[in-house]
Amino acid sequence: MGRLAWPLRPLPDGRGEVWRWDLGGLSELSAARAGLRSRLGVVGFPPPDEDTAGERLVLAFDELASNALRHGEAPVVATVVAGSGGWLLDVSDRAPETLPSPALDRDPAKGGMGLHLVARLSVAHGWYVDDGCKHVWACLPATVDRQPAMART
């Protein structure tokens, strides 16, 4: 994946219930993930062992939020908009000059593959700058096609 793998795009119009976490450090990420899983349960999503779509959202949330906490500047705000067809995930930080850069030609064992992973899990993704904040976003479907990849046509 090249530079265009994480395109500069405005945030899509997201309508739905808004869930927000203000994150001050990596130590807060575990509680934020647990809070997200709890909210998924409240709106009727099955437990993680029965629902891969919800776990994909939690994984994308974790990847984008941890990137912002590691490579951006506080405050970091992670927002999920729970809409009728899926989720809009938006993570912002105060480092607009630090662009989201998917790792190129790196051994996956050395890490840095989070943006590639989120791009694969999402139906759309991008980033933009607004009012001194960088926003990295992804749209994830609320359901996962359980049909094997080889069987798709």
Side-chain angles (χ1 to χ4, degrees), residues 60-118:
F61 177 94
D62 184 66
E63 290 293 340
L64 294 186
S66 64
N67 278 353
L69 290 163
R70 285 185 178 99
H71 307 294
E73 291 179 25
V76 170
V77 178
T79 305
V80 174
V81 180
S84 60
W87 299 288
L88 174 58
L89 170 59
D90 176 76
V91 178
S92 66
D93 68 63
R94 291 269 179 193
E97 68 285 348
T98 306
L99 309 180
S101 300
L104 298 175
D105 301 324
R106 181 184 298 168
D107 179 353
K110 296 187 182 204
M113 304 308 289
L115 290 176
H116 292 289
L117 177 64
V118 173

Side-chain angles (χ1 to χ4, degrees), residues 25-78:
L26 287 168
S27 62
E28 298 174 14
L29 203 45
S30 178
R33 285 190 310 267
L36 177 55
R37 282 188 180 99
S38 175
R39 289 185 183 195
L40 289 172
V42 168
V43 295
F45 274 83
D49 58 335
E50 298 174 22
D51 174 44
T52 59
E55 276 307 296
R56 287 175 179 214
L57 171 64
V58 173
L59 179 58
F61 177 94
D62 184 66
E63 290 293 340
L64 294 186
S66 64
N67 278 353
L69 290 163
R70 285 185 178 99
H71 307 294
E73 291 179 25
V76 170
V77 178

